[in-house]
Amino acid sequence: MNPIPLRPWWLRKRILFPLILLVGIGVTGLIAFMNSDASTIVIYNETDNPLPPLLVGACGQTRTFPALADQESVRFALKPDGAESAIHLELATDPPWKWDGELIRPHGGHRVTIRLLPDGQVEAFDQVSWWRR
């Protein structure tokens, strides 16, 4: 009868599983912390009508979104370049509908949620990532 050879300590299940779990939690936490510095703008169409193309501008960055159906949303992630500025929205209508509102920084974990409501009304809410508070 041959004795069963023992595995090295780093290959034993009692050590390997907790070690992998701790490394995974650490990597996940690091990724979450790094992404918490990004600022985003989220726009919801709650006008009960489809919207024409939408231009969004903030911090010297602009982006155009195609027609937006009712109850749809778009997300604009800002690059960490530029200075704090107001958010500018513009719809391709005749005459153009424009809105300038909430201030946002391109970094710092800001998230501005904008709801476009019927009759041209706009609601805007600013949140900061809990990592960055």
Side-chain angles (χ1 to χ4, degrees):
M1 177 173 201
N2 292 332
I4 299 174
L6 292 175
R7 291 182 174 181
W9 67 269
W10 62 87
L11 292 179
R12 293 184 187 154
K13 289 181 186 177
R14 290 182 184 166
I15 301 293
L16 188 61
F17 288 148
L19 186 63
I20 290 173
L21 182 65
L22 287 175
V23 169
I25 289 172
V27 168
T28 303
L30 180 65
I31 291 171
F33 180 74
M34 290 171 44
N35 288 337
S36 72
D37 193 40
S39 292
T40 58
I41 301 168
V42 181
I43 302 168
Y44 293 96
N45 178 12
E46 296 180 356
T47 61
D48 299 329
N49 295 312
L51 291 177
L54 173 68
L55 174 76
V56 181
C59 305
Q61 304 171 41
T62 59
R63 185 162 174 199
T64 303
F65 295 98
L68 189 61
D70 184 39
Q71 302 301 317
E72 280 191 347
S73 64
V74 291
R75 182 174 180 257
F76 181 27
L78 296 173
K79 297 176 184 160
D81 304 334
E84 179 178 26
S85 73
I87 298 171
H88 174 77
L89 301 180
E90 187 172 333
L91 289 174
T93 57
D94 189 27
W97 178 87
K98 295 180 182 181
W99 179 81
D100 289 310
E102 293 288 318
L103 292 176
I104 189 169
R105 292 188 348 212
H107 53 80
H110 290 267
R111 179 184 174 123
V112 177
T113 303
I114 299 173
R115 296 186 186 284
L116 302 177
L117 303 170
D119 299 327
Q121 297 176 11
V122 178
E123 285 183 354
F125 304 99
D126 184 18
Q127 300 170 326
V128 178
S129 167
W130 65 271
W131 285 92
R132 299 295 171 172
R133 281 188 214 151

